[in-house]
Amino acid sequence: MDITTISLLVLCLVIALGFEFVNGFHDTANAVATVIYTRSLKPTVAVIWSGLINFLGVLSVLGAGAGVAFKIVGLIPTDMLVGASGSMGIWMLLSILITAVLWNLATWFVGLPASSSHTLIGSITGVGITWGLLAHKDVNLEKFYDTLKGLALAPLVGFGVAALIFLAMKALIKRPELFQEPKGNTPPPWPIRLLLIGTCTGVSYFHGSNDGQKGIGLMMLVLIALLPGQFTVNPNFNAEKIGTTLSTVKQVEALVERPELAKVEKAVEADKRLHKIAELLANRATLTELPLTEQTELRKEALKAASALKKVAKEKGLSAEDKDLLDKGQKEIKATVEFVAPWVTVAVALALGVGTMVGWKRIVVTVGEKIGKAHLNYGQGAAAEMTAMLTIMTADMLAAPVSTTHILSSGIAGTMAANKSGLQSKTIRNILIAWVLTLPVTIVVSGFIFWLTAGRFIQ
């Protein structure tokens, strides 16, 4: 690489880590708001503890797969990503990164708990749509819609589940002090204090494991686009893994070639792509020995084959064994091109952890003081954080990106409603406006920047 490309690579990586740093104090402020406003922990102790736990949460991704990260990478059209080299690739990345960081900073500055997940997804989608228009390509927004479903559901889950948990606590736990507001600066009784610290720890950990993967996905986008020779295929695939994958590919090929699937469009497409994958993998000791053009081809075929197989699995008449084989095929094929360099995970963990420790106060004040008309009591804080912790943990298992901000702030609103404490309409309105505006604004801004800077490179 020449010095210009190296400089731009470093710039993109720094901005990507900057996004995760901002994410730290923008989103994780939600996790510490309850322990701060219930006097369970002093602010300095709370943010340092949350930062450390966020760091550990991101590190949990090491060796455990990164499904959320590749949901983020997958939002970029495959044809665009494998062809995003040179100036177009650089401007693709800068359009996404600049938009995401600026919107996060803008909403933080005015104290609005907007979603970093929505911000990143909108920024990526805007670039993808603009590329499709400029290149006269059809952009499949199915992955965007799939991701959006989970994000749209999060506020409803947060509000409803937190309200139910709070009501259940009031019915089952006969300790009046659990449902009292803090008295001055006096911390709550130790059992309550431990409960609140425990839920804060859980939210911080799972925020790290879920939101950290968004940063990992962003970093991998940078590396795949600017260093395709090192990051297009999985360098950890040895001859044994290649042999296992080839065997699975042959089994799946036999399945999709059955007569009853002959007229299924996606089965025909999958068969064609599986055949090409088998050709590329045959007699290889490692994937990195493939020429760059063939590495790019393998990435494109693997991702499109996995997408086709996912749709074939929805066909009626397939047995449970058939569906298991199709699922296995998807995972093994995608594993040839989906991997995370360990240093990326560590770098994102540090950025998110350190970010958590600074700049948190604006969002904490909104969450702690401006959602409900009454002061947050101990039970409300515990119910909201339990909801966030359980929801994000479930999302991790489903490899679904969700918004900690949406879940926790709507959870606090749910407990206020359940307790008949009342809600501050101005704050709720402003939060809803930020939620509604985030996707369209980031889609338009990132798309405009990409059109302005990279439009001339696309034919």
Side-chain angles (χ1 to χ4, degrees):
M1 292 191 297
D2 57 41
I3 188 65
T4 302
T5 306
I6 292 172
S7 300
L8 287 168
L9 171 65
V10 172
L11 175 64
C12 288
L13 290 175
V14 168
I15 298 175
L17 289 173
F19 169 82
E20 205 59 22
F21 176 81
V22 174
N23 187 8
F25 60 74
H26 191 284
D27 280 19
T28 314
N30 294 283
V32 297
T34 54
V35 289
I36 290 173
Y37 273 89
T38 56
R39 311 294 190 264
S40 298
L41 287 176
K42 291 183 178 179
T44 303
V45 175
V47 295
I48 291 175
W49 176 249
S50 183
L52 174 63
I53 299 303
N54 264 278
F55 174 81
L56 296 176
V58 182
L59 290 188
S60 71
V61 177
L62 282 170
V68 174
F70 288 105
K71 283 281 180 72
I72 298 300
V73 174
L75 290 169
I76 288 283
T78 303
D79 288 339
M80 181 186 184
L81 184 57
V82 297
S85 58
S87 298
M88 192 196 86
I90 290 166
W91 284 115
M92 172 192 80
L93 296 165
L94 287 175
S95 300
I96 293 168
L97 294 167
I98 290 169
T99 302
V101 171
L102 287 180
W103 184 253
N104 256 6
L105 284 173
T107 52
W108 164 80
F109 184 77
V110 295
L112 286 180
S115 168
S116 294
S117 301
H118 277 195
T119 300
L120 180 56
I121 288 165
S123 301
I124 293 173
T125 303
V127 166
I129 291 172
T130 305
W131 171 83
L133 294 172
L134 292 172
H136 306 290
K137 300 268 191 178
D138 291 330
V139 177
N140 187 351
L141 294 176
E142 183 179 351
K143 291 180 180 177
F144 169 71
Y145 295 136
D146 284 346
T147 304
L148 195 58
K149 288 175 188 175
L151 290 169
L153 193 61
L156 298 176
V157 170
F159 188 94
V161 174
L164 290 173
I165 290 176
F166 180 73
L167 291 173
M169 289 169 66
K170 289 192 81 171
L172 298 173
I173 303 175
K174 305 302 181 182
R175 293 195 62 168
E177 64 270 27
L178 181 59
F179 307 103
Q180 294 174 355
E181 296 178 9
K183 297 176 181 177
N185 291 319
T186 305
W190 266 109
I192 297 173
R193 194 175 185 184
L194 289 174
L195 170 65
L196 290 161
I197 293 172
T199 54
C200 167
T201 302
V203 172
S204 299
Y205 181 85
F206 288 111
H207 175 267
S209 67
N210 195 279
D211 269 49
Q213 288 194 58
K214 296 160 194 169
I216 290 169
L218 199 52
M219 292 278 283
M220 292 307 296
L221 266 179
V222 172
L223 295 169
I224 292 166
L226 298 186
L227 292 177
Q230 289 73 42
F231 294 94
T232 296
V233 297
N234 190 339
N236 304 313
F237 250 65
N238 54 27
E240 183 181 352
K241 287 183 179 179
I242 290 172
T244 301
T245 301
L246 264 173
S247 175
T248 301
V249 166
K250 294 295 183 184
Q251 293 176 55
V252 178
E253 270 191 292
L255 194 161
V256 297
E257 288 172 356
R258 288 181 188 171
E260 62 267 31
L261 294 174
K263 293 183 180 180
V264 176
E265 182 182 350
K266 287 299 176 181
V268 174
E269 179 190 343
D271 187 34
K272 178 183 174 183
R273 297 192 184 283
L274 290 168
H275 183 71
K276 186 62 184 177
I277 291 169
E279 284 184 356
L280 291 167
L281 295 182
N283 302 314
R284 300 292 181 181
T286 65
L287 297 181
T288 51
E289 71 181 51
L290 287 165
L292 181 55
T293 53
E294 292 186 8
Q295 289 185 27
T296 300
E297 189 173 12
L298 176 59
R299 183 175 190 87
K300 181 177 178 180
E301 295 296 333
L303 294 177
K304 292 197 170 185
S307 178
L309 291 175
K310 183 177 180 180
K311 292 177 180 176
V312 173
K314 296 177 182 178
E315 289 293 317
K316 295 179 180 179
L318 292 175
S319 66
E321 291 78 8
D322 291 338
K323 292 182 179 182
D324 286 343
L325 178 58
L326 289 169
D327 183 59
K328 179 183 177 184
Q330 289 178 59
K331 290 177 180 176
E332 290 195 16
I333 291 165
K334 285 199 293 185
T336 62
V337 295
E338 291 187 347
F339 75 101
V340 175
W343 66 267
V344 169
T345 302
V346 173
V348 170
L350 285 169
L352 185 63
V354 174
T356 300
M357 299 179 192
V358 299
W360 48 272
K361 191 170 184 179
R362 289 178 184 271
I363 305 296
V364 164
V365 169
T366 297
V367 172
E369 296 182 10
K370 297 181 180 180
I371 292 179
K373 291 182 178 179
H375 195 291
L376 191 72
N377 68 42
Y378 306 132
Q380 289 171 321
E385 294 222 316
M386 272 191 266
T387 300
M389 179 177 67
L390 294 172
T391 305
I392 302 169
M393 180 175 66
T394 303
D396 275 357
M397 292 188 287
L398 298 174
V402 292
S403 170
T404 303
T405 302
H406 283 193
I407 298 166
L408 194 62
S409 55
S410 60
I412 290 174
T415 64
M416 291 289 177
N419 199 41
K420 298 180 181 179
S421 305
L423 298 170
Q424 295 193 38
S425 58
K426 182 180 178 181
T427 301
I428 299 300
R429 184 179 66 249
N430 289 341
I431 290 174
L432 287 172
I433 290 171
W435 287 354
V436 170
L437 285 181
T438 295
L439 276 173
V441 167
T442 51
I443 286 172
V444 170
V445 172
S446 66
F448 177 73
I449 294 173
F450 183 69
W451 169 78
L452 200 63
T453 55
R456 63 186 183 277
F457 301 112
I458 302 172
Q459 297 179 351

